[in-house]
Amino acid sequence: MVEATPELTSTSDSPALAVSVLQMLRTATSVQHKALEARLPLTHADLDRSLYTRIIEAYYGFHVPLQRHIDQFVSPQACDPKRYKVAALIKDLRALGLSDGQIDRLPLCCDLPRLQTQGHLLGIMYVIEGATLGGQVLRRIIADRLGIEADSGGEFLDVYGRDTGRRWKAFLKQLADFDQPEYNGDVVDAACATFASFERWLDRAGVLL
Ligand code: HEM
């Protein structure tokens, strides 16, 4: 569960304290994260291989168009290919028994968060990069309950492996370097919109509790 950092507020007695964009993101998305965590059956006792496969199919249906959306916004040179997650999802779907034809026919989400500014991009990345932290908890659960490891359908949940912490810190540095009060609203709006869009998509896919 994400620790929500209380927003620092100014009063007439105390000078305004700057609230970092990361603190703003944590405060703004903490309820959405908790709601999604509670509704996603990845930690649920009834999770079985079939439901897990449907969840990974739905993740694929969100990440493929989202990655295209990002690629259209930034030049390919500016994208770090190591952050691409679609290849891991395809590998998982194949390991879970889908053919390439079945993967190609999976439905794709059209209701994506708005991406018009660098701030929006960072807000979207906050959600998809942050999810790799939870993935570290989830990958152990999937291994224990379903016997699924990184090479047998669980690669996405462990997409950065031992690099998870280092990559998250690198992203936080990118976020801190961007931090500018006049643009932080875009970052927070995009993060909230990404959580909302992902939850709607998973709901439509019928994989939420
Ligand atoms: C059952 C599902 C999930 C579980 C158990 C879970 C669990 C966690 C855990 C343990 C952390 C690390 C918290 C910390 O170190 O303080 C985390 C962070 C995070 N998770 Fe999840 N998560 C789940 C689903 C998701 C999903 C689906 C998303 C978004 C698509 C998501 C987005 C995030 C973000 C953005 C953070 C970073 C928060 C921060 O440190 O600022 N999580 N999650």
Side-chain angles (χ1 to χ4, degrees):
M1 191 177 295
V2 173
E3 264 182 32
T5 310
E7 205 163 42
L8 299 172
T9 53
S10 64
T11 68
S12 51
D13 300 330
S14 62
L17 293 173
V19 177
S20 75
V21 66
L22 177 61
Q23 288 169 322
M24 289 170 70
L25 281 164
R26 286 179 168 158
T27 303
T29 60
S30 123
V31 170
Q32 286 174 297
H33 183 275
K34 281 186 194 136
L36 197 48
E37 196 179 326
R39 294 191 70 202
L40 247 180
L42 285 169
T43 55
H44 202 261
D46 290 345
L47 180 77
D48 59 14
R49 192 181 168 90
S50 152
L51 178 54
Y52 174 72
T53 303
R54 288 204 291 124
I55 293 172
I56 297 299
E57 288 173 1
Y59 268 69
Y60 173 90
F62 190 73
H63 276 272
V64 168
L66 186 63
Q67 188 59 58
R68 282 183 198 148
H69 201 38
I70 292 173
D71 289 346
Q72 278 163 10
F73 178 75
V74 289
S75 65
Q77 300 91 307
C79 263
D80 178 355
K82 293 205 188 91
R83 293 205 186 270
Y84 281 28
K85 298 175 182 64
V86 172
L89 286 163
I90 293 174
K91 191 175 158 206
D92 288 346
L93 290 168
R94 286 181 181 149
L96 292 164
L98 274 80
S99 67
D100 287 353
Q102 286 172 315
I103 295 172
D104 286 343
R105 287 191 295 276
L106 288 172
L108 303 180
C109 177
C110 301
D111 163 33
L112 295 170
R114 199 154 61 100
L115 174 45
Q116 288 167 348
T117 66
Q118 189 64 20
H120 289 152
L121 176 64
L122 285 169
I124 293 169
M125 282 183 68
Y126 168 76
V127 179
I128 54 181
E129 291 304 309
T132 64
L133 303 180
Q136 289 301 297
V137 177
L138 296 170
R139 78 176 170 88
R140 289 188 201 103
I141 296 177
I142 302 307
D144 290 347
R145 302 239 177 99
L146 305 179
I148 293 175
E149 306 278 350
D151 58 356
S152 56
E155 167 119 353
F156 174 79
L157 293 178
D158 192 25
V159 68
Y160 296 153
R162 290 180 181 190
D163 274 350
T164 307
R166 194 184 57 74
R167 290 198 149 270
W168 177 242
K169 283 190 193 134
F171 172 70
L172 292 185
K173 162 113 185 27
Q174 223 181 313
L175 198 58
D177 289 346
F178 174 85
D179 200 330
Q180 300 158 72
E182 64 273 40
Y183 300 122
N184 289 346
D186 275 5
V187 184
V188 173
D189 287 351
C192 293
T194 306
F195 265 110
S197 162
F198 192 43
E199 183 167 359
R200 279 194 301 273
W201 174 249
L202 295 176
D203 219 354
R204 278 187 52 192
V207 297
L208 294 185
L209 296 170

